[in-house]
Amino acid sequence: MQGIEGVAMRADEDAAVRGRDGVAPRGRGGAVPLGHEQHGPGGPEIWIRGTVGEPEQPSQQYEEDQQLLLRTRQFSWVATHGGAGSSTLATVFGGHDAGRDWPRPDRGDPGSVLLVGRTHAAGLDAVSHTLDIFRRGDAPPGLDLDAIVLVADAPGRLPRQLTQRIKVINSVIDVYRVPWVPAWRTGDLAGPLPREAASLARLTGRTAP
């Protein structure tokens, strides 16, 4: 793959240093874990000031802003092997089809990457190889791997050994599955999405036809 195959690997330490800014860590809902409380002159402050009521719900404007953000965010679909399906996915869900090349943010390509591969053994090998490039920090600068998108290579259930391999990949990064769609095989890309692809549609901001 031009620009992807043969890339040397190095350790990616960015994730390991996140959060080391001296600020006390916070748990679910913003709570400060035990032992990290901020004490005043008289000890821990335990009084709650003001009216205690139901948690404030996100405003309608906030939800609309989030939807707008999803609609305006663009992705680059990168095929990890020939016939992965990146062109079809870019047509159906929107975004930039990078094919088997690296996207070029300096030329206007989206830097958010979705790696695409088929669910057969060779496809999963190619996905794992390219995922390792990102994990070791050897992808070109300006690219951020968002998720893996696996497209069914045939109708029906996967063999158990392939399902297990997908679980391993999913333990490292989010994996979105796209089922076998007969209409896509004949070039009909304008129909409704299969329900199994709903989560991918939300990620990409794709609206229903």
Side-chain angles (χ1 to χ4, degrees), residues 119-120 124 153 156-166:
T119 54
H120 49 55
L124 297 180
D153 64 293
R157 289 188 175 184
L158 283 178
R160 183 176 181 181
Q161 61 267 34
L162 298 180
T163 301
Q164 289 299 118
R165 292 188 61 183
I166 292 174

Side-chain angles (χ1 to χ4, degrees), residues 112-167:
S112 297
V113 172
L114 296 175
L115 290 182
V116 184
R118 293 283 178 171
T119 54
H120 49 55
L124 297 180
D125 284 343
V127 166
S128 297
H129 170 76
T130 313
L131 175 59
D132 281 341
I133 293 175
F134 276 95
R135 290 183 64 197
R136 296 172 185 268
D138 289 326
L143 299 184
D144 180 34
L145 179 59
D146 278 77
I148 303 292
V149 181
L150 297 178
V151 183
D153 64 293
R157 289 188 175 184
L158 283 178
R160 183 176 181 181
Q161 61 267 34
L162 298 180
T163 301
Q164 289 299 118
R165 292 188 61 183
I166 292 174
K167 288 181 179 180

Side-chain angles (χ1 to χ4, degrees), residues 3 11 17 22 27 34 46 64 80 88-90 111 115-116 118 134 140 161:
V17 299
L34 186 65
I46 61 175
E64 291 176 354
T80 59
T88 297
L89 294 177
L115 290 182
V116 184
R118 293 283 178 171
F134 276 95
Q161 61 267 34

Side-chain angles (χ1 to χ4, degrees), residues 174-195:
D174 290 338
V175 172
Y176 292 84
R177 300 279 298 275
V178 178
W180 180 265
V181 183
W184 292 0
R185 193 178 188 189
T186 61
D188 180 10
L189 307 180
L193 292 175
R195 59 182 178 82

Side-chain angles (χ1 to χ4, degrees), residues 93-107:
F93 294 95
H96 170 65
D97 175 22
R100 300 185 68 190
D101 294 326
W102 290 118
R104 294 288 302 271
D106 58 324
R107 297 181 180 177

